Amino acid sequence: MGIYIFRYPFLALFTDETAVVEAGSLRLSVMALSYAVSAFMDCSIAASRGLGKSILPTIIVIMGSCVFRIVWIYTVFAYFGTIQSLYLLYLCSWSLTAAAEILYFIAVYRKIVK
């Protein structure tokens, strides 16, 4: 949140050009707010691996962080062609991967607890 709140002073350390600061602000805004979602993805993957399940979480990450992103670039980004649609790729891929990883963890945990 700090980088989001102080994005303009932070970017001013690197440049004084208004267009560059605005472009950097857009990127920092999307990325700073997206990283919260990344924590859910990373923690659920680690939890599944801690339960001895590593193959399927790895496949889920590859599908969500690699394959989904390639599909996004050739569909959503190709359609809109904006930098925002490219930046939103992170939030969407992390959300999708986090949801799949959390569901997988819940299923594995329920089997172990029984």
Side-chain angles (χ1 to χ4, degrees):
M1 288 307 292
I3 197 75
Y4 175 74
I5 293 168
F6 297 108
R7 65 189 178 274
Y8 290 107
F10 175 72
L11 291 167
L13 295 171
F14 301 98
T15 186
D16 58 353
E17 294 182 36
T18 306
V20 175
V21 170
E22 287 304 316
S25 175
L26 174 64
R27 173 142 169 84
L28 281 177
S29 297
V30 172
M31 296 309 294
L33 299 174
S34 297
Y35 270 104
V37 175
S38 172
F40 290 100
M41 178 182 71
D42 294 339
C43 290
S44 57
I45 292 167
S48 294
R49 289 180 179 151
L51 295 176
K53 304 294 183 181
S54 62
I55 294 173
L56 197 53
T58 301
I59 292 170
I60 293 170
V61 168
I62 291 169
M63 295 301 292
S65 295
C66 298
V67 175
F68 178 78
R69 290 179 181 187
I70 292 168
V71 171
W72 180 282
I73 288 170
Y74 283 106
T75 57
V76 176
F77 179 67
Y79 179 77
F80 291 104
T82 63
I83 196 72
Q84 292 91 340
S85 67
L86 190 58
Y87 290 160
L88 289 175
L89 165 60
Y90 291 99
L91 178 61
C92 292
S93 68
W94 287 339
S95 297
L96 179 69
T97 305
E101 289 288 351
I102 290 168
L103 291 173
Y104 178 74
F105 171 77
I106 290 169
V108 169
Y109 186 77
R110 285 184 179 166
K111 285 182 184 178
I112 290 174
V113 172
K114 287 184 182 183

